[in-house]
C-alpha cells in the first residue's frame, strides 16, 4: 500500500523559507514521477512542481526561480525548498506520486503553509 507523509509546513513571514518533505513507502520510489501540489482557500488544487524518474523538473510560473523540487531515492523522500515566500504561497501543500506499474495516483494528507505579510 502506497503511503505519502508530508512534513515541514508552518507559519513564516514573507521573504522567508521553508523546506517541505514527503516520505514515501509501499512502492518503488525511484520509478515513480513525484509532484507537489497546493490548494489555497477557495481555490482549486494546482501543480507547483514535478520531478521525473530522470530528475527532469517543471515548475508553475508563479514559483519558478523561488522553489526547488528534488528527490532522494536512497531515502524515498521528496523535497520542496521554498525561498522568498509570498503571502500568495499560503495553502495546503500535497505530495503526489504516479505509480508507473499500476497507473494509479496517490496523495499525501497535506501540510499547511502560511505566509504572513
Amino acid at each position: 500500500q502506497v503511503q505519502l507523509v508530508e512534513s515541514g509546513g508552518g507559519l513564516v513571514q514573507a521573504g522567508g523559507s521553508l523546506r517541505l518533505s514527503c516520505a514515501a513507502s509501499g512502492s518503488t520510489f525511484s520509478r515513480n514521477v513525484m509532484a507537489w501540489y497546493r490548494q489555497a482557500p477557495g481555490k482549486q488544487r494546482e501543480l507547483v512542481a514535478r520531478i521525473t524518474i530522470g530528475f527532469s523538473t517543471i515548475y508553475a510560473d508563479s514559483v519558478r526561480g523561488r522553489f526547488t523540487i528534488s528527490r532522494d531515492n536512497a531515502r524515498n523522500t521528496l523535497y520542496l525548498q521554498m525561498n522568498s515566500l509570498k503571502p500568495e504561497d499560503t495553502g495546503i501543500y500535497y505530495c503526489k506520486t504516479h505509480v508507473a506499474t499500476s497507473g494509479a495516483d496517490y496523495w499525501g494528507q497535506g501540510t499547511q503553509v502560511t505566509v504572513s505579510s
Side-chain angles (χ1 to χ4, degrees):
Q1 183 175 353
V2 177
Q3 286 191 322
L4 302 172
V5 180
E6 301 98 333
S7 61
L11 173 64
V12 64
Q13 287 190 330
S17 298
L18 283 174
R19 187 194 196 202
L20 305 184
S21 299
C22 172
S25 62
S27 70
T28 307
F29 179 82
S30 62
R31 296 180 184 176
N32 300 336
V33 175
M34 303 294 299
W36 288 100
Y37 283 73
R38 69 185 179 190
Q39 187 164 18
K43 294 188 177 181
Q44 289 189 328
R45 194 173 298 188
E46 63 175 358
L47 175 68
V48 175
R50 186 172 72 217
I51 185 166
T52 69
I53 60 175
F55 297 89
S56 295
T57 58
I58 63 167
Y59 296 92
D61 289 343
S62 59
V63 308
R64 189 175 295 113
R66 300 187 297 121
F67 291 10
T68 302
I69 188 172
S70 61
R71 63 192 299 164
D72 185 335
N73 289 341
R75 289 183 166 84
N76 288 351
T77 302
L78 177 73
Y79 301 101
L80 185 68
Q81 178 66 45
M82 305 187 294
N83 298 329
S84 302
L85 282 161
K86 304 175 181 180
E88 50 264 44
D89 295 318
T90 294
I92 301 175
Y93 283 68
Y94 298 91
C95 173
K96 174 190 164 184
T97 184
H98 176 76
V99 179
T101 54
S102 66
D105 292 332
Y106 296 88
W107 296 85
Q109 82 289 348
T111 185
Q112 176 71 46
V113 171
T114 303
V115 184
S116 63
S117 56

